[in-house]
Amino acid sequence: MNPDLQVSDDPAAPAADLLAGAAAQLCITGGSTPKVAYGRAAAAREDWSNVEIWFTDERCVPPDHEHSNYRMAKAALLDRAAGATVHRMRGELGPGEGAAEYGREYEAAGRPMLDLILLGLGPDGHTCSLFPNDPALAERERSVVGVETPGMAPLVPRITLTLSVVNAARQIVFLVTGADKADAVARAFSGPPDPSTPASLVEGAVTVLLDPEAAAGL
Ligand code: 6PG
């Protein structure tokens, strides 16, 4: 993968800068780590009218559920991203129909190349909702798939982009913080590609924004 590894005490700052400067097709992720960066990006940019915002993955819960990635992103970024077109994954439809619907939406938009995709990393090495050794890792035809059994909490089915879309992005940025991610960071970004660490299968122009704790194993 040969990523550009950047370690700083405040990796949300460069992440926010990248998000605020994003061109037309922006893909954002869930979890808790990006929340600060989303808030700062929303404050830094006034006009989002040329930006289409996609999601990497979603938990199969309603959009107002505490585990909804959309709910987190809405509060931190989307409600303040004036003019942006938001493509929400409808988790409430379940993994099968939810993935099929998002796949149709992506196709109908012309399968756009993502200008910037923000990714997180789980302590087990997952990214998006692509979990260790899951068959979804081998999917090359479909852009979006459902995952019935996630490898980590919250233990609800998921909808996720596949590596076919992730690896085609113009710029791929991981934002990872905390000592509990150090082992996964080492495996993902300095080890060989391995389906037991899904993030290691990401390829392309990859930047990894880390705090010192997350970078400790590199
Ligand atoms: C999800 C995510 C997932 C996330 C990582 C890291 O829906 O769970 O999109 O890929 O980025 O699990 O999550 P944290 O930032 O909460 O550690």
Side-chain angles (χ1 to χ4, degrees):
M1 178 197 303
N2 197 21
D4 175 16
L5 300 166
Q6 299 182 16
V7 183
S8 71
D9 287 335
D10 185 17
D17 289 347
L18 288 166
L19 291 164
Q25 305 292 338
L26 168 64
C27 188
I28 61 173
T29 198
S32 55
T33 310
K35 196 172 174 180
V36 172
Y38 291 164
R40 291 187 193 168
R45 180 172 183 158
E46 272 180 27
D47 181 6
W48 293 76
S49 56
N50 291 328
V51 183
E52 293 196 38
I53 301 180
W54 301 85
F55 277 79
T56 60
D57 67 313
E58 184 56 279
R59 291 92 179 258
C60 289
V61 294
D64 56 355
H65 191 280
E66 61 174 323
H67 292 323
S68 166
N69 284 335
Y70 174 76
R71 178 182 188 233
M72 180 279 289
K74 182 174 186 294
L77 171 65
L78 306 176
D79 280 349
R80 295 188 278 160
T85 300
V86 178
H87 298 276
R88 175 173 83 82
M89 287 177 167
R90 293 180 65 196
E92 67 274 26
L93 296 179
E97 182 48 29
E101 189 206 62
Y102 208 64
R104 287 193 293 270
E105 188 165 339
Y106 184 66
E107 295 292 328
R111 290 181 67 93
M113 175 194 278
L114 300 170
D115 293 302
L116 172 65
I117 182 168
L118 183 70
L119 297 173
L121 179 72
D124 60 350
H126 82 265
T127 192
C128 303
S129 282
L130 297 167
F131 292 95
N133 302 311
D134 194 282
L137 291 170
E139 179 65 47
R140 292 293 178 273
E141 295 293 314
R142 288 176 294 168
S143 305
V144 188
V145 296
V147 174
E148 288 286 350
T149 312
M152 269 193 65
L155 296 176
V156 293
R158 311 292 183 94
I159 300 166
T160 185
L161 296 184
T162 62
L163 288 170
S164 64
V165 178
V166 173
N167 289 349
R170 192 165 276 123
Q171 187 176 18
I172 301 168
V173 177
F174 283 87
L175 174 61
V176 191
T177 61
D180 63 321
K181 305 284 180 70
D183 286 349
V185 165
R187 292 198 309 275
F189 306 121
S190 62
D194 187 328
S196 67
T197 303
S200 71
L201 304 178
V202 173
E203 291 169 4
V206 179
T207 300
V208 186
L209 305 173
L210 302 159
D211 67 2
E213 291 76 15
L218 288 172

